[in-house]
Amino acid sequence: MKKFLPLVWLLIAAPAFAQTFIVAKTGSDSNSCAQAQSAATPKLTIRSAIENCLGAGDTLQIRSGTYSENIEWFTYTIPTGTAGNIITMMGYPGDALPILDGDPANIVSTPGSIIDFYEQKYWTIKNLKIDGRNASSTGITVNASVLGSYHVRIENLEIYNIGVLAIFVGAYGVDILNNILRDGGQYG
């Protein structure tokens, strides 16, 4: 029995296998998550990839193009990472930065952010452009109901055309690094 104990410990302690999923304007949301791991058969929308494929430790790579959709916790389920398995959403390496400009139909939604996190933890968002022309208030919101550290990193983004705030943070443990904020609204 003692011989098997180290093997059982290894299986319990091993982190989940991280996967990379791809979204592209040439994709299809009918592609499975397994298919979306290939640049030849990506998902079409960020929402489909986040809602159906992403889990702790996974990466979502977004090909260049303009994505008119909102990433909002109150519209669909956004997963949470863990300390050893951070979720990353990023521009596809080597491509021009993708643009997230929000869904014009959601411009009156509350709070009206292109990316709106509430209680999501252990995320990195990087190498994207956020065009706020279809946001009623904010480019990115990271908020929480309970004080605590949320370990969200926002880096290398270009955020512009925002009505009120480029980034709103209502949680601890949010790192904002190397971003370009321009053409801001009421509070820059």
Side-chain angles (χ1 to χ4, degrees):
M1 183 69 173
K2 290 183 181 181
K3 294 178 183 177
F4 296 106
L5 190 56
L7 180 60
V8 171
W9 176 250
L10 179 63
L11 292 174
I12 292 171
F17 290 104
Q19 301 177 83
T20 298
F21 301 98
I22 301 167
V23 169
K25 298 308 290 181
T26 58
S28 170
D29 285 341
S30 63
N31 289 339
S32 70
C33 293
Q35 290 173 310
Q37 292 181 50
S38 167
T41 53
K43 290 282 193 183
L44 175 62
T45 63
I46 297 166
R47 177 182 183 154
S48 180
I50 288 175
E51 192 170 38
N52 299 306
C53 302
L54 279 187
D58 291 342
T59 297
L60 177 60
Q61 295 179 340
I62 305 168
R63 302 293 311 245
S64 64
T66 300
Y67 296 84
S68 297
E69 52 185 299
N70 296 67
I71 302 166
E72 300 169 314
W73 65 272
F74 54 87
T75 307
Y76 59 93
T77 302
I78 299 173
T80 291
T82 63
N85 294 291
I86 296 170
I87 297 172
T88 300
M89 179 172 66
M90 61 184 285
Y92 190 87
D95 274 11
L97 296 180
I99 300 167
L100 282 63
D101 71 350
D103 181 350
N106 288 348
I107 198 165
V108 295
S109 70
T110 303
S113 300
I114 303 293
I115 299 174
D116 191 342
F117 280 7
Y118 185 77
E119 303 290 337
Q120 281 72 36
K121 296 180 180 181
Y122 296 99
W123 268 79
T124 294
I125 303 167
K126 65 182 185 177
N127 304 334
L128 304 170
K129 290 185 178 182
I130 308 294
D131 181 345
R133 64 184 164 170
N134 294 320
S136 60
S137 65
T138 308
I140 299 175
T141 297
V142 179
N143 215 343
S145 64
V146 178
L147 295 178
S149 190
Y150 285 82
H151 305 284
V152 173
R153 176 177 226 133
I154 300 166
E155 66 178 306
N156 300 326
L157 302 185
E158 184 177 343
I159 304 172
Y160 53 96
N161 294 333
I162 300 299
V164 180
L165 297 169
I167 301 171
F168 173 80
V169 176
Y172 291 119
V174 178
D175 296 325
I176 302 171
L177 305 165
N178 303 318
N179 298 289
I180 297 171
L181 313 175
R182 64 177 176 85
D183 303 326
Q186 186 175 354
Y187 300 106

